[in-house]
Amino acid sequence: MTDPGPIPPFLDRRPLVGTYTMLSCFENICQYQAYRRYVVRDIKFVPTPASEYGNEVHTAFEHRIGGGKPLPEKMQQWEPLAQPFDGRGAQVELKIGLTKDGVPCGYFDNNVVRWRVKVDTLVLNPDKTFAYLCDWKTGNSKYEDPFELAIGAMHVHALYPSLQKIAGQYAWLRDNRLGQSHDLTDTNATWQKASAILGKMEAAKASGEWPKRQSPLCAHCDVLDCENNKRPQSH
């Protein structure tokens, strides 16, 4: 069977499903790249050594914190970051879906899911009034974007409405340190911000206008047929 190719925009009625990576791509990187990745969906993800290493590290922490399996020998320097979660009932690689109204639903429930997140590590206090999120990062710690943590908190709060306080941190593994502690309690503000970006994407989808943005990131973009692409081509 031949691949029918992407759905023509005027026939594509699939709703957008909000994720941090999609919102960030549209808002901070390039609207046209977001269109190709998340609307047309014709840009295939190609694993890189960095992404494969990131997956390996996340799996190691999932097994260490969620199952008590020791970290691999080459990751033992991060044991002090994992040890505080022992005995606290931490949830790992928690997948949460929300409906358009912010009601929890199945992560893969394509009929109703409109928001998705995967929380690396979540700890709740016994009466579920406080939550702490930790996101394991293998990349550069030069710039922290707490919006990613806030999106996670938004989903967690929907799942546990009794929460009164939510905090979160990035764990920058390259530097072997925790980042700044962020207050993520105002999930209503996060919902408003995320919904506004998703609304702009829905408007762009309706109009068919997805402006291209030139930036140094064009040298790393997978949209190879864009005239602004500066990524070295292999022959």
Side-chain angles (χ1 to χ4, degrees), residues 71-122:
L71 288 170
E73 184 176 351
K74 64 181 179 180
M75 301 181 191
Q76 278 295 312
Q77 70 272 22
W78 299 325
E79 174 61 20
L81 295 173
Q83 191 277 331
F85 293 101
D86 289 348
R88 298 185 181 275
Q91 300 179 58
V92 293
E93 299 299 314
L94 177 63
K95 295 178 180 177
I96 307 172
L98 300 180
T99 69
K100 63 182 178 63
D101 298 316
V103 177
C105 66
Y107 186 87
F108 295 108
D109 191 348
N110 292 328
N111 292 323
V112 298
V113 66
R114 295 296 177 267
W115 297 92
R116 286 191 181 118
V117 80
K118 185 164 68 173
V119 177
D120 289 355
T121 308
L122 171 68

Short mmCIF file of all heavy atoms in Angstrom, two decimals, residues 71-122:
data_model
loop_
_atom_site.label_atom_id
_atom_site.label_comp_id
_atom_site.label_asym_id
_atom_site.label_seq_id
_atom_site.Cartn_x
_atom_site.Cartn_y
_atom_site.Cartn_z
N LEU A 71 22.05 2.67 39.75
CA LEU A 71 22.44 3.35 38.52
C LEU A 71 23.63 2.62 37.89
O LEU A 71 24.44 2.03 38.61
CB LEU A 71 22.84 4.80 38.81
CG LEU A 71 21.72 5.77 39.17
CD1 LEU A 71 22.30 7.09 39.67
CD2 LEU A 71 20.80 6.02 37.98
N PRO A 72 23.73 2.63 36.56
CA PRO A 72 24.90 2.01 35.92
C PRO A 72 26.20 2.63 36.45
O PRO A 72 26.21 3.78 36.93
CB PRO A 72 24.71 2.35 34.43
CG PRO A 72 23.25 2.57 34.28
CD PRO A 72 22.78 3.18 35.57
N GLU A 73 27.25 1.89 36.37
CA GLU A 73 28.54 2.35 36.92
C GLU A 73 28.94 3.71 36.38
O GLU A 73 29.44 4.56 37.12
CB GLU A 73 29.63 1.31 36.61
CG GLU A 73 30.97 1.65 37.22
CD GLU A 73 32.01 0.55 36.99
OE1 GLU A 73 31.63 -0.55 36.51
OE2 GLU A 73 33.19 0.81 37.27
N LYS A 74 28.69 3.93 35.08
CA LYS A 74 29.10 5.20 34.48
C LYS A 74 28.23 6.37 34.92
O LYS A 74 28.51 7.53 34.58
CB LYS A 74 29.10 5.10 32.96
CG LYS A 74 27.72 4.84 32.35
CD LYS A 74 27.82 4.72 30.84
CE LYS A 74 26.46 4.44 30.20
NZ LYS A 74 26.55 4.33 28.73
N MET A 75 27.14 6.10 35.68
CA MET A 75 26.25 7.15 36.16
C MET A 75 26.23 7.25 37.67
O MET A 75 25.42 7.99 38.24
CB MET A 75 24.82 6.91 35.65
CG MET A 75 24.67 6.85 34.14
SD MET A 75 22.96 6.57 33.63
CE MET A 75 23.17 6.22 31.86
N GLN A 76 27.14 6.54 38.33
CA GLN A 76 27.13 6.50 39.79
C GLN A 76 27.37 7.86 40.43
O GLN A 76 26.99 8.09 41.59
CB GLN A 76 28.18 5.50 40.28
CG GLN A 76 27.73 4.06 40.27
CD GLN A 76 26.59 3.81 41.24
OE1 GLN A 76 26.65 4.21 42.41
NE2 GLN A 76 25.55 3.15 40.77
N GLN A 77 27.96 8.80 39.68
CA GLN A 77 28.20 10.12 40.25
C GLN A 77 26.90 10.86 40.55
O GLN A 77 26.88 11.85 41.28
CB GLN A 77 29.08 10.96 39.30
CG GLN A 77 28.40 11.40 38.01
CD GLN A 77 28.53 10.37 36.90
OE1 GLN A 77 28.76 9.19 37.15
NE2 GLN A 77 28.39 10.81 35.66
N TRP A 78 25.77 10.36 39.99
CA TRP A 78 24.48 11.01 40.20
C TRP A 78 23.66 10.38 41.31
O TRP A 78 22.53 10.79 41.57
CB TRP A 78 23.67 11.00 38.90
CG TRP A 78 24.36 11.74 37.79
CD1 TRP A 78 25.13 12.86 37.90
CD2 TRP A 78 24.35 11.40 36.41
NE1 TRP A 78 25.60 13.25 36.66
CE2 TRP A 78 25.13 12.37 35.72
CE3 TRP A 78 23.75 10.39 35.66
CZ2 TRP A 78 25.33 12.34 34.34
CZ3 TRP A 78 23.94 10.36 34.28
CH2 TRP A 78 24.72 11.33 33.64
N GLU A 79 24.24 9.39 41.99
CA GLU A 79 23.51 8.72 43.07
C GLU A 79 23.03 9.70 44.14
O GLU A 79 21.89 9.58 44.63
CB GLU A 79 24.38 7.63 43.68
CG GLU A 79 23.79 6.96 44.92
CD GLU A 79 22.47 6.25 44.67
OE1 GLU A 79 22.17 5.93 43.49
OE2 GLU A 79 21.73 6.04 45.63
N PRO A 80 23.82 10.72 44.53
CA PRO A 80 23.32 11.67 45.53
C PRO A 80 22.08 12.44 45.08
O PRO A 80 21.33 12.93 45.94
CB PRO A 80 24.51 12.62 45.73
CG PRO A 80 25.71 11.80 45.38
CD PRO A 80 25.26 10.93 44.24
N LEU A 81 21.85 12.54 43.78
CA LEU A 81 20.64 13.21 43.30
C LEU A 81 19.43 12.28 43.34
O LEU A 81 18.29 12.73 43.45
CB LEU A 81 20.84 13.71 41.86
CG LEU A 81 21.88 14.80 41.66
CD1 LEU A 81 22.09 15.07 40.17
CD2 LEU A 81 21.47 16.07 42.38
N ALA A 82 19.68 10.99 43.26
CA ALA A 82 18.59 10.01 43.27
C ALA A 82 18.20 9.59 44.68
O ALA A 82 17.02 9.35 44.97
CB ALA A 82 18.99 8.77 42.46
N GLN A 83 19.18 9.51 45.58
CA GLN A 83 18.96 8.97 46.92
C GLN A 83 17.85 9.68 47.72
O GLN A 83 17.08 9.01 48.43
CB GLN A 83 20.28 8.99 47.69
CG GLN A 83 20.26 8.21 49.00
CD GLN A 83 19.68 9.03 50.14
OE1 GLN A 83 19.79 10.26 50.14
NE2 GLN A 83 19.05 8.36 51.10
N PRO A 84 17.69 11.00 47.63
CA PRO A 84 16.65 11.66 48.42
C PRO A 84 15.22 11.18 48.10
O PRO A 84 14.32 11.40 48.91
CB PRO A 84 16.83 13.14 48.08
CG PRO A 84 18.26 13.27 47.71
CD PRO A 84 18.58 12.00 46.98
N PHE A 85 15.02 10.55 46.96
CA PHE A 85 13.69 10.07 46.61
C PHE A 85 13.35 8.73 47.24
O PHE A 85 12.19 8.30 47.20
CB PHE A 85 13.55 9.97 45.08
CG PHE A 85 13.60 11.29 44.38
CD1 PHE A 85 14.76 11.73 43.75
CD2 PHE A 85 12.48 12.11 44.35
CE1 PHE A 85 14.80 12.95 43.10
CE2 PHE A 85 12.51 13.34 43.71
CZ PHE A 85 13.68 13.76 43.08
N ASP A 86 14.33 8.06 47.81
CA ASP A 86 14.10 6.74 48.39
C ASP A 86 13.05 6.80 49.50
O ASP A 86 13.10 7.68 50.37
CB ASP A 86 15.41 6.17 48.96
CG ASP A 86 16.39 5.77 47.87
OD1 ASP A 86 15.99 5.72 46.70
OD2 ASP A 86 17.57 5.52 48.20
N GLY A 87 12.13 5.86 49.48
CA GLY A 87 11.12 5.75 50.53
C GLY A 87 10.05 6.81 50.51
O GLY A 87 9.28 6.93 51.47
N ARG A 88 9.96 7.58 49.44
CA ARG A 88 8.98 8.67 49.38
C ARG A 88 7.84 8.40 48.38
O ARG A 88 7.05 9.29 48.09
CB ARG A 88 9.67 9.99 49.05
CG ARG A 88 10.71 10.41 50.10
CD ARG A 88 11.29 11.77 49.81
NE ARG A 88 12.28 12.15 50.80
CZ ARG A 88 12.00 12.72 51.98
NH1 ARG A 88 10.74 12.96 52.29
NH2 ARG A 88 12.97 13.04 52.83
N GLY A 89 7.79 7.18 47.87
CA GLY A 89 6.70 6.84 46.96
C GLY A 89 6.74 7.62 45.66
O GLY A 89 5.68 7.95 45.09
N ALA A 90 7.93 7.94 45.18
CA ALA A 90 8.06 8.73 43.96
C ALA A 90 7.43 8.02 42.76
O ALA A 90 7.57 6.81 42.59
CB ALA A 90 9.52 9.03 43.69
N GLN A 91 6.74 8.79 41.94
CA GLN A 91 6.22 8.29 40.67
C GLN A 91 7.20 8.71 39.57
O GLN A 91 7.67 9.85 39.56
CB GLN A 91 4.83 8.86 40.40
CG GLN A 91 3.82 8.51 41.47
CD GLN A 91 2.46 9.11 41.19
OE1 GLN A 91 1.85 8.86 40.14
NE2 GLN A 91 1.96 9.92 42.12
N VAL A 92 7.47 7.80 38.64
CA VAL A 92 8.46 8.09 37.61
C VAL A 92 7.84 7.92 36.22
O VAL A 92 6.98 7.08 36.00
CB VAL A 92 9.69 7.16 37.75
CG1 VAL A 92 10.45 7.48 39.03
CG2 VAL A 92 9.28 5.69 37.75
N GLU A 93 8.33 8.78 35.30
CA GLU A 93 7.86 8.76 33.91
C GLU A 93 6.33 8.70 33.87
O GLU A 93 5.72 7.89 33.18
CB GLU A 93 8.47 7.57 33.17
CG GLU A 93 10.00 7.60 33.10
CD GLU A 93 10.54 8.82 32.37
OE1 GLU A 93 10.01 9.16 31.28
OE2 GLU A 93 11.49 9.45 32.88
N LEU A 94 5.71 9.60 34.63
CA LEU A 94 4.26 9.63 34.78
C LEU A 94 3.63 10.33 33.57
O LEU A 94 3.86 11.51 33.32
CB LEU A 94 3.89 10.37 36.07
CG LEU A 94 2.41 10.57 36.37
CD1 LEU A 94 1.71 9.23 36.54
CD2 LEU A 94 2.24 11.47 37.60
N LYS A 95 2.80 9.60 32.84
CA LYS A 95 2.12 10.13 31.66
C LYS A 95 0.73 10.60 32.04
O LYS A 95 -0.06 9.82 32.57
CB LYS A 95 2.05 9.07 30.56
CG LYS A 95 3.41 8.66 30.02
CD LYS A 95 3.27 7.58 28.97
CE LYS A 95 4.63 7.17 28.41
NZ LYS A 95 4.52 6.07 27.43
N ILE A 96 0.42 11.87 31.75
CA ILE A 96 -0.87 12.44 32.11
C ILE A 96 -1.49 13.09 30.87
O ILE A 96 -0.84 13.85 30.16
CB ILE A 96 -0.74 13.52 33.20
CG1 ILE A 96 0.04 12.97 34.41
CG2 ILE A 96 -2.12 14.03 33.64
CD1 ILE A 96 0.38 14.04 35.44
N GLY A 97 -2.75 12.80 30.63
CA GLY A 97 -3.50 13.46 29.57
C GLY A 97 -4.61 14.30 30.16
O GLY A 97 -5.15 13.97 31.23
N LEU A 98 -4.95 15.39 29.49
CA LEU A 98 -6.07 16.24 29.90
C LEU A 98 -6.99 16.49 28.71
O LEU A 98 -6.54 16.56 27.57
CB LEU A 98 -5.57 17.60 30.43
CG LEU A 98 -4.63 17.62 31.63
CD1 LEU A 98 -4.27 19.06 31.97
CD2 LEU A 98 -5.27 16.93 32.83
N THR A 99 -8.28 16.67 29.01
CA THR A 99 -9.23 17.06 27.98
C THR A 99 -9.11 18.55 27.71
O THR A 99 -8.35 19.27 28.38
CB THR A 99 -10.67 16.75 28.42
OG1 THR A 99 -11.03 17.64 29.50
CG2 THR A 99 -10.81 15.30 28.89
N LYS A 100 -9.90 19.05 26.78
CA LYS A 100 -9.87 20.48 26.46
C LYS A 100 -10.32 21.33 27.64
O LYS A 100 -10.02 22.53 27.72
CB LYS A 100 -10.75 20.77 25.24
CG LYS A 100 -12.22 20.48 25.42
CD LYS A 100 -12.99 20.76 24.14
CE LYS A 100 -14.47 20.42 24.27
NZ LYS A 100 -15.16 21.23 25.29
N ASP A 101 -11.04 20.71 28.58
CA ASP A 101 -11.51 21.42 29.76
C ASP A 101 -10.59 21.21 30.96
O ASP A 101 -10.91 21.63 32.07
CB ASP A 101 -12.93 20.96 30.12
CG ASP A 101 -13.92 21.26 29.01
OD1 ASP A 101 -13.86 22.38 28.46
OD2 ASP A 101 -14.75 20.39 28.69
N GLY A 102 -9.46 20.53 30.76
CA GLY A 102 -8.52 20.33 31.84
C GLY A 102 -8.86 19.18 32.76
O GLY A 102 -8.35 19.12 33.88
N VAL A 103 -9.68 18.25 32.29
CA VAL A 103 -10.06 17.09 33.09
C VAL A 103 -9.12 15.94 32.74
O VAL A 103 -8.89 15.67 31.56
CB VAL A 103 -11.52 16.68 32.82
CG1 VAL A 103 -11.89 15.42 33.59
CG2 VAL A 103 -12.45 17.84 33.16
N PRO A 104 -8.57 15.24 33.73
CA PRO A 104 -7.66 14.12 33.44
C PRO A 104 -8.32 13.06 32.56
O PRO A 104 -9.50 12.74 32.73
CB PRO A 104 -7.32 13.56 34.82
CG PRO A 104 -7.51 14.71 35.75
CD PRO A 104 -8.67 15.48 35.19
N CYS A 105 -7.55 12.53 31.63
CA CYS A 105 -8.01 11.47 30.75
C CYS A 105 -6.82 10.61 30.37
O CYS A 105 -5.69 10.89 30.78
CB CYS A 105 -8.70 12.03 29.49
SG CYS A 105 -7.60 12.94 28.39
N GLY A 106 -7.06 9.58 29.58
CA GLY A 106 -5.98 8.72 29.16
C GLY A 106 -4.99 9.45 28.27
O GLY A 106 -5.37 10.23 27.40
N TYR A 107 -3.72 9.20 28.51
CA TYR A 107 -2.65 9.83 27.73
C TYR A 107 -2.80 9.54 26.24
O TYR A 107 -2.53 10.40 25.40
CB TYR A 107 -1.30 9.32 28.25
CG TYR A 107 -0.08 9.98 27.65
CD1 TYR A 107 0.43 11.15 28.22
CD2 TYR A 107 0.60 9.43 26.57
CE1 TYR A 107 1.57 11.75 27.71
CE2 TYR A 107 1.74 10.02 26.05
CZ TYR A 107 2.21 11.18 26.62
OH TYR A 107 3.34 11.78 26.11
N PHE A 108 -3.26 8.34 25.92
CA PHE A 108 -3.41 7.93 24.52
C PHE A 108 -4.88 7.91 24.09
O PHE A 108 -5.22 7.30 23.08
CB PHE A 108 -2.80 6.54 24.30
CG PHE A 108 -1.30 6.51 24.51
CD1 PHE A 108 -0.76 5.90 25.63
CD2 PHE A 108 -0.46 7.12 23.59
CE1 PHE A 108 0.62 5.86 25.81
CE2 PHE A 108 0.92 7.10 23.78
CZ PHE A 108 1.46 6.47 24.89
N ASP A 109 -5.75 8.56 24.85
CA ASP A 109 -7.18 8.59 24.50
C ASP A 109 -7.41 9.63 23.42
O ASP A 109 -7.79 10.77 23.69
CB ASP A 109 -8.01 8.89 25.75
CG ASP A 109 -9.49 8.67 25.52
OD1 ASP A 109 -9.89 8.49 24.35
OD2 ASP A 109 -10.25 8.67 26.50
N ASN A 110 -7.16 9.24 22.18
CA ASN A 110 -7.17 10.20 21.08
C ASN A 110 -8.52 10.85 20.84
O ASN A 110 -8.61 11.88 20.17
CB ASN A 110 -6.70 9.51 19.79
CG ASN A 110 -5.22 9.13 19.85
OD1 ASN A 110 -4.44 9.82 20.49
ND2 ASN A 110 -4.86 8.04 19.21
N ASN A 111 -9.59 10.27 21.37
CA ASN A 111 -10.92 10.86 21.16
C ASN A 111 -11.12 12.13 21.97
O ASN A 111 -11.89 13.01 21.57
CB ASN A 111 -12.01 9.85 21.52
CG ASN A 111 -12.06 8.68 20.56
OD1 ASN A 111 -11.84 8.84 19.37
ND2 ASN A 111 -12.33 7.50 21.09
N VAL A 112 -10.45 12.23 23.11
CA VAL A 112 -10.69 13.38 23.98
C VAL A 112 -9.44 14.10 24.44
O VAL A 112 -9.52 15.26 24.88
CB VAL A 112 -11.50 12.95 25.24
CG1 VAL A 112 -12.86 12.42 24.85
CG2 VAL A 112 -10.74 11.93 26.06
N VAL A 113 -8.26 13.48 24.38
CA VAL A 113 -7.06 14.11 24.92
C VAL A 113 -6.69 15.35 24.11
O VAL A 113 -6.68 15.32 22.88
CB VAL A 113 -5.88 13.13 24.99
CG1 VAL A 113 -5.41 12.70 23.60
CG2 VAL A 113 -4.73 13.70 25.81
N ARG A 114 -6.41 16.47 24.83
CA ARG A 114 -6.01 17.71 24.18
C ARG A 114 -4.71 18.28 24.76
O ARG A 114 -4.17 19.25 24.24
CB ARG A 114 -7.12 18.76 24.30
CG ARG A 114 -8.39 18.39 23.56
CD ARG A 114 -8.17 18.31 22.05
NE ARG A 114 -9.38 17.88 21.34
CZ ARG A 114 -9.66 16.63 21.03
NH1 ARG A 114 -8.81 15.65 21.35
NH2 ARG A 114 -10.77 16.32 20.40
N TRP A 115 -4.23 17.67 25.86
CA TRP A 115 -2.97 18.07 26.47
C TRP A 115 -2.26 16.82 26.94
O TRP A 115 -2.91 15.88 27.42
CB TRP A 115 -3.20 19.01 27.68
CG TRP A 115 -3.85 20.30 27.33
CD1 TRP A 115 -5.20 20.56 27.34
CD2 TRP A 115 -3.22 21.51 26.92
NE1 TRP A 115 -5.44 21.85 26.96
CE2 TRP A 115 -4.23 22.47 26.70
CE3 TRP A 115 -1.89 21.87 26.73
CZ2 TRP A 115 -3.96 23.76 26.29
CZ3 TRP A 115 -1.61 23.17 26.32
CH2 TRP A 115 -2.63 24.09 26.10
N ARG A 116 -0.95 16.81 26.82
CA ARG A 116 -0.17 15.66 27.28
C ARG A 116 1.12 16.14 27.93
O ARG A 116 1.71 17.14 27.52
CB ARG A 116 0.22 14.76 26.10
CG ARG A 116 -0.89 13.91 25.53
CD ARG A 116 -0.31 12.89 24.56
NE ARG A 116 -1.34 12.05 23.95
CZ ARG A 116 -1.58 12.01 22.64
NH1 ARG A 116 -0.87 12.74 21.81
NH2 ARG A 116 -2.53 11.22 22.18
N VAL A 117 1.55 15.36 28.93
CA VAL A 117 2.85 15.60 29.54
C VAL A 117 3.38 14.29 30.09
O VAL A 117 2.60 13.37 30.40
CB VAL A 117 2.76 16.65 30.68
CG1 VAL A 117 2.23 16.03 31.96
CG2 VAL A 117 4.10 17.33 30.93
N LYS A 118 4.70 14.19 30.19
CA LYS A 118 5.34 13.08 30.89
C LYS A 118 6.25 13.69 31.94
O LYS A 118 7.21 14.39 31.61
CB LYS A 118 6.14 12.19 29.92
CG LYS A 118 6.72 10.97 30.59
CD LYS A 118 7.17 9.91 29.59
CE LYS A 118 8.36 10.36 28.78
NZ LYS A 118 8.91 9.28 27.94
N VAL A 119 5.92 13.43 33.20
CA VAL A 119 6.66 13.98 34.33
C VAL A 119 7.75 12.98 34.71
O VAL A 119 7.47 11.82 35.00
CB VAL A 119 5.73 14.24 35.53
CG1 VAL A 119 6.52 14.74 36.73
CG2 VAL A 119 4.64 15.25 35.14
N ASP A 120 9.00 13.43 34.72
CA ASP A 120 10.12 12.53 35.02
C ASP A 120 9.98 11.92 36.40
O ASP A 120 10.04 10.70 36.56
CB ASP A 120 11.45 13.28 34.91
CG ASP A 120 11.81 13.61 33.47
OD1 ASP A 120 11.09 13.19 32.55
OD2 ASP A 120 12.84 14.30 33.27
N THR A 121 9.87 12.78 37.42
CA THR A 121 9.79 12.29 38.80
C THR A 121 8.84 13.19 39.59
O THR A 121 8.98 14.41 39.56
CB THR A 121 11.17 12.29 39.48
OG1 THR A 121 12.11 11.59 38.66
CG2 THR A 121 11.11 11.61 40.84
N LEU A 122 7.90 12.56 40.29
CA LEU A 122 6.91 13.30 41.08
C LEU A 122 6.83 12.70 42.47
O LEU A 122 6.74 11.48 42.63
CB LEU A 122 5.53 13.21 40.41
CG LEU A 122 4.34 13.74 41.22
CD1 LEU A 122 4.44 15.26 41.38
CD2 LEU A 122 3.01 13.36 40.57
#
